[in-house]
Amino acid sequence: MNRQPVSWAGSRRTLRRLRDIMAGAGSAQEQLDRIVTLIAGDMVAEVCSVYIRRAGEVLELFATEGLRRDAVHRTRLQVGEGLVGDIAAHGRPLALADARSHPLFAFRPETGEEAFSSLMGVPIIRGGRVLGVLVVQNRTQRQYADEEIETLQTVAMVLAELVAAGDLVKRGELRPDADLVLLPERLDGSPLSPGLAAGTALLHRPRVTIETIVAEDPEHELARLAEATVAMQSQLEELMQRPDLSVAGEPREILETYLMFARDRGWRQRIEEAIRSGLTAEAAVQKAQNDTRARMAPLADAFMRERLLDLDDLTTRLIQHLRDDPQTPTPIGEDIVIIARSLGPAELLNYDRDRLRAVVLEEGSATAHVTIIAGILALPMVGRATGILSRIESGDPILVDADSGFVYVRPGEDVHAQFTASMRRHDKLQKRYAASRDLPAKTRDGVVISLRLNAGMAGDVQHLQSTNADGIGLYRTEIPFMVRGSHPDVASQTNLYSRVLEEAVDKPVVFRTLDIGGDKLLPHFSDIAEDNPAMGWRAIRVALDRPALLRGQFRALLAAHAGREMSVMFPMVAEISEFVAARRLLDMEVARAVDRGAALPSNIRVGVMVEVPALIWQLSALLPLLDFITVGTNDLIQFLFASDRSNPRLEGRYDPLSPAVLALLTEIVDACAAADVPVTVCGEMAGRTIEAMVLVGLGFRALSMVPGSIGPVKAMVRSISSTVLADYLAALKGSPAHSLRHRLRGFALDRGVEL
Ligand code: PEP
Ligand code: MG
């Protein structure tokens, strides 16, 4: 039999009764017992049960109406076991008319639940952790309506507060590995932004506790929401006026995206609906976020997950405004290391940069906005430090090695001493690199190597100044496309490219046309799933199939370069015809600009990225057609070895310093020298000292890398003799070795090369 969905008014009544129970007399267990009886009645269910998570990933039946009472505190399930365990494991609701036929159904005879057919359960979540599961069951095969799931979720929010109070299960028990908490520990994460730092842990904004969940007067709550939203928006606007954020650049763009979210009507509407169902404004904001998290968490799309983090940030902000407490908590002392599950970029910008030393995240990824910001701020950051939140408290000493991805919590004296020594060495080196800013990157035998930067955001270009690099060797134009919510039009692209050029002053910038596809899917562009995206519809292939996209980009590049030399190159070219077709589109745009009397670049240089091996055997015919080439070793090596560059299982399996790679690179550099075509290497290889040493030895004279590599690579260049190196490499030719790294390292050590 189908039931009427529970109306908002009905859910408000339920909430009011819940509040009365919570405010009334009795122990937490007695309150819980009353709550299950109330919910079973209000939701017209024969069963209502609460399972609470206990140490060891166990869910214990804590209260029930409808199942056998003697099963309470006896029935225990592992997280992941049965339907209840599944709800807890995935943190998402389930509603099944015929639960017994579900493959995950785990029958517990002591509960007597064989009599019930349908089941609806929701996780009890607090602070992003599943604390338990709330379930209703019916004898009939009942189809639960979405509104009923919503109501049950709201009840679960109230229960979360009851569980978190610590009277049902001791708070410590809810922390995994509680017994390890005070021991020194080393956690392994992923290095996201390099550097070493020591400091005191500050748990980022310890969870906001929402004390009042149920409200009497929805209109009053709606008014509070409106007021807090305005206050939050103006705080964000104010933040954008800060001198360091008021200029165009990535942090500012990110804040703009934030404001867009903050003004999003759908988001507001969801919160307003929750208020009308009887929640306080704070609880409604939290609920809207819980719902979004539950809906979006299973998505594999990294971009969407990043947006979810942005929304988390906004949620916390809005709740703080509702409590009239909009400031970031003052960090304790100096030398702060922020610890967070995730962190929004604006949240990071809110901290006092002078006291901030590093960031450690449970989550985090290389493409997250916050990582981009940390990079720009030169702030060491480690991500995927699984378990950090349950092993550290604010005030604990912590050491962060973001070069290797290690985090030392409450380090012992010996570790501390070693780490301090490493930091000193690191600082000394950084100072030396900074001091070498104006020295030429010239080998001992007088060969000058042009060192350039890889960039992709307006903020990167400022490193031209700090590093004194010779220009931007690779500007990845897809990155600005990726951080935006919509496809940028020609005007905003022109704007962006003009800003980059302005900031580069008179140094050359090589723009690469969009390398979208593969793992760089643009959310507003395509959602095509491919089995092998890195080898799929990507880069120039997309551009040639969607010529309007490429023409728009050319139009913007031409306009931005008016009166100045323009260098543009195409990614993932596999055969000459692709280069010719792309070039033809560029010529069409030039002709269009001429027709319209638009100012043109003073000169246009056109190149290709060599990153598909097939192109190497076409170089003799290709090189006369173009002005320069750039070797993308990241892709070139993955295709050479048929070894996915982002697959951690293959990490280190093949070495860029192997005879095959060296032979291939030699072919390229020799072909370019013969044709007198300038060539640059811009893959990660070019920024790693020993690999850069080999590139110079092979004859490459221009390398493009991340800003942090300029200092170390310059020091290496200044310590080598290119001819001695070239002779040594020639002698290694034809080696059957898997890798030449050890021998090359030995060579460098013997000759005092700075690696
Ligand atoms: C490369 O493949 O080496 C390269 C520089 O391009 P991307 O890393 O952007 O694919
Ligand atoms: Mg590439």
Side-chain angles (χ1 to χ4, degrees):
M1 179 179 68
N2 285 351
R3 301 280 171 152
Q4 286 301 309
V6 173
S7 66
W8 280 346
S11 110
R12 206 179 310 155
R13 208 171 37 243
T14 304
L15 281 176
R16 224 176 280 135
R17 289 191 195 144
L18 264 179
R19 188 195 50 192
D20 292 345
I21 293 176
M22 302 269 287
S27 67
Q29 178 69 53
E30 285 161 355
Q31 289 178 337
L32 197 62
D33 291 339
R34 271 182 239 138
I35 290 173
V36 288
T37 310
L38 167 76
I39 303 306
D42 278 13
M43 304 223 44
V44 201
E46 280 94 21
V47 173
C48 175
S49 311
V50 172
Y51 295 80
I52 293 179
R53 192 169 190 156
R54 306 215 58 163
E57 301 294 282
V58 163
L59 293 160
E60 179 176 312
L61 179 65
F62 252 72
T64 186
E65 170 70 34
L67 295 185
R68 298 228 312 250
R69 296 272 166 150
D70 54 3
V72 170
H73 298 303
R74 270 208 309 133
T75 292
R76 288 175 152 222
L77 298 154
Q78 273 315 119
V79 169
E81 181 189 353
L83 295 169
V84 170
D86 189 66
I87 294 166
H90 295 102
R92 60 168 184 238
L94 263 186
L96 301 166
D98 182 12
R100 285 180 299 195
S101 66
H102 192 284
L104 281 176
F105 182 76
F107 171 54
R108 286 305 173 102
E110 75 275 15
T111 61
E113 66 183 333
E114 67 275 19
F116 305 99
S117 297
S118 56
L119 176 145
M120 164 168 69
V122 297
I124 300 170
I125 300 179
R126 189 167 181 281
R129 289 207 189 140
V130 176
L131 304 184
V133 177
L134 170 64
V135 181
V136 295
Q137 288 172 277
N138 282 74
R139 267 178 216 287
T140 55
Q141 294 206 353
R142 174 170 165 185
Q143 304 277 356
Y144 299 101
D146 286 350
E147 286 80 355
E148 292 175 301
I149 299 178
E150 296 247 315
T151 303
L152 206 61
Q153 280 175 320
T154 309
V155 175
M157 265 182 82
V158 180
L159 286 177
E161 298 308 311
L162 188 67
V163 179
D167 296 330
L168 290 165
V169 171
K170 279 205 298 296
R171 254 185 239 161
E173 208 182 307
L174 298 173
R175 298 157 69 121
D177 307 327
D179 50 343
L180 288 177
V181 160
L182 289 173
L183 298 175
E185 282 195 67
R186 193 189 93 175
L187 277 96
D188 294 1
S190 311
L192 294 180
S193 169
L196 297 172
T200 308
L202 174 72
L203 293 199
H204 169 68
R205 211 175 268 155
R207 272 292 137 192
V208 282
T209 322
I210 300 172
E211 285 105 13
T212 324
I213 305 237
V214 187
E216 274 302 317
D217 179 0
E219 291 310 318
H220 175 65
E221 296 303 309
L222 288 171
R224 290 181 60 229
L225 175 71
E227 200 180 310
T229 312
V230 170
M232 179 181 73
Q233 283 174 3
S234 49
Q235 193 203 30
L236 285 172
E237 276 155 15
E238 233 167 70
L239 195 60
M240 291 210 291
Q241 301 308 317
R242 248 173 48 176
D244 50 335
L245 297 176
S246 58
V247 287
E250 207 59 26
R252 188 184 165 81
E253 274 174 22
I254 289 167
L255 281 175
E256 278 166 1
T257 316
Y258 258 56
L259 265 175
M260 197 186 73
F261 270 136
R263 292 177 183 140
D264 182 75
R265 294 185 66 190
W267 188 55
R268 270 288 290 280
Q269 269 164 9
R270 282 193 294 280
I271 301 172
E272 286 169 2
E273 275 168 21
I275 289 180
R276 288 197 192 93
S277 78
L279 293 179
T280 57
E282 288 90 336
V285 173
Q286 190 61 60
K287 178 170 186 301
Q289 182 58 3
N290 287 351
D291 294 351
T292 314
R293 255 202 172 267
R295 256 202 329 272
M296 287 170 59
L299 298 181
D301 183 340
F303 184 88
M304 293 312 286
R305 283 202 306 267
E306 305 315 347
R307 301 297 74 72
L308 201 53
L309 301 188
D310 292 350
L311 265 179
D312 271 346
D313 189 4
L314 271 188
T315 299
T316 318
R317 245 162 217 281
L318 191 49
I319 293 175
Q320 285 182 330
H321 278 281
L322 280 163
R323 308 160 140 204
D324 213 12
D325 173 27
Q327 298 306 315
T328 300
T330 314
I332 30 169
E334 302 291 319
D335 298 339
I336 298 305
V337 175
I338 297 181
I339 315 291
R341 182 172 54 79
S342 60
L343 192 69
E347 286 182 309
L348 177 57
L349 289 166
N350 252 1
Y351 281 96
D352 178 357
R353 174 69 191 94
D354 292 341
R355 292 153 109 195
L356 209 53
R357 296 292 169 266
V359 179
V360 180
L361 304 178
E362 282 251 358
E363 298 181 354
S365 73
T367 58
H369 281 155
V370 70
T371 309
I372 296 168
I373 301 285
I376 290 171
L377 298 177
L379 196 61
M381 183 156 106
V382 171
R384 304 206 189 286
T386 312
I388 182 88
L389 278 175
S390 57
R391 290 166 162 84
I392 197 165
E393 289 291 353
S394 284
D396 279 346
I398 179 169
L399 306 173
V400 181
D401 176 351
D403 286 346
S404 319
F406 297 138
V407 178
Y408 302 89
V409 177
R410 292 174 298 277
E413 266 174 38
D414 48 340
V415 173
H416 209 292
Q418 268 182 31
F419 195 84
T420 313
S422 310
M423 272 179 74
R424 252 188 247 121
R425 275 198 304 277
H426 194 268
D427 283 355
K428 237 165 107 185
L429 261 180
Q430 293 304 320
K431 283 202 186 98
R432 251 197 55 218
Y433 295 148
S436 73
R437 179 190 178 279
D438 297 320
L439 298 177
K442 197 194 264 185
T443 63
R444 285 183 7 213
D445 53 346
V447 176
V448 175
I449 308 298
S450 176
L451 303 184
R452 302 171 191 173
L453 291 183
N454 289 348
M457 296 176 300
D460 291 350
V461 184
Q462 74 198 28
H463 292 294
L464 274 179
Q465 179 55 29
S466 57
T467 58
N468 199 21
D470 297 321
I472 306 279
L474 163 67
Y475 190 93
R476 292 177 163 104
T477 58
E478 62 276 4
I479 296 181
F481 279 69
M482 287 162 76
V483 298
R484 276 164 192 268
S486 62
H487 189 82
D489 59 14
V490 173
S492 50
Q493 287 185 63
T494 309
N495 209 348
L496 173 72
Y497 305 145
S498 303
R499 280 191 339 236
V500 170
L501 291 168
E502 234 167 71
E503 218 177 330
V505 194
D506 51 2
K507 293 193 172 176
V509 180
V510 178
F511 285 92
R512 178 175 77 183
T513 58
L514 282 178
D515 184 2
I516 51 172
D519 61 342
K520 297 188 231 178
L521 274 189
L522 309 187
H524 46 275
F525 181 70
S526 162
D527 56 358
I528 295 169
E530 293 181 292
D531 285 344
N532 283 305
M535 296 194 286
W537 194 56
R538 182 185 158 186
I540 194 72
R541 302 166 187 179
V542 175
L544 293 178
D545 290 352
R546 298 277 184 277
L549 194 76
L550 191 54
R551 286 191 65 168
Q553 194 169 27
F554 286 145
R555 202 169 297 172
L557 285 168
L558 288 169
H561 284 85
R564 145 172 207 161
E565 183 171 84
M566 164 172 152
S567 297
V568 62
M569 63 180 173
F570 312 125
M572 295 287 293
V573 170
E575 50 179 39
I576 295 171
S577 66
E578 288 168 340
F579 168 74
V580 171
R583 178 140 209 163
R584 196 174 302 132
L585 292 175
L586 174 60
D587 291 341
M588 283 161 83
E589 279 305 314
V590 172
R592 181 182 178 276
V594 170
D595 277 354
R596 288 163 189 245
L600 285 175
S602 57
N603 180 32
I604 301 176
R605 297 173 71 240
V606 188
V608 295
M609 294 274 294
V610 175
E611 45 188 352
V612 178
L615 204 60
I616 291 164
W617 292 278
Q618 302 169 69
L619 284 176
S620 57
L622 174 69
L623 290 175
L625 306 179
L626 42 71
D627 300 297
F628 65 94
I629 69 164
T630 303
V631 186
T633 46
N634 303 339
D635 277 315
L636 186 62
I637 294 173
Q638 83 162 338
F639 297 128
L640 185 67
F641 284 118
S643 172
D644 183 347
R645 73 193 239 195
S646 54
N647 183 340
R649 282 204 202 163
L650 298 175
E651 184 86 19
R653 187 170 190 107
Y654 303 103
D655 195 334
L657 295 183
S658 60
V661 175
L662 268 45
L664 199 73
L665 291 171
T666 305
E667 285 224 14
I668 299 172
V669 76
D670 289 352
C672 289
D676 201 18
V677 169
V679 54
T680 305
V681 180
C682 72
E684 300 313 301
M685 243 188 124
R688 294 193 283 253
T689 46
I690 187 166
E691 291 161 33
M693 174 187 89
V694 170
L695 291 171
V696 172
L698 293 179
F700 289 96
R701 297 295 175 252
L703 307 175
S704 194
M705 61 202 75
V706 291
S709 291
I710 296 277
V713 170
K714 190 190 277 187
M716 177 279 294
V717 167
R718 291 175 59 80
S719 66
I720 55 169
S721 158
S722 70
T723 41
V724 174
L725 190 54
D727 290 347
Y728 185 71
L729 289 173
L732 291 177
K733 221 167 151 184
S735 158
H738 152 71
S739 163
L740 301 170
R741 189 171 294 269
H742 287 306
R743 294 181 69 178
L744 286 160
R745 196 171 284 284
F747 165 88
L749 274 175
D750 288 350
R751 284 165 185 77
V753 176
E754 283 200 40
L755 291 184

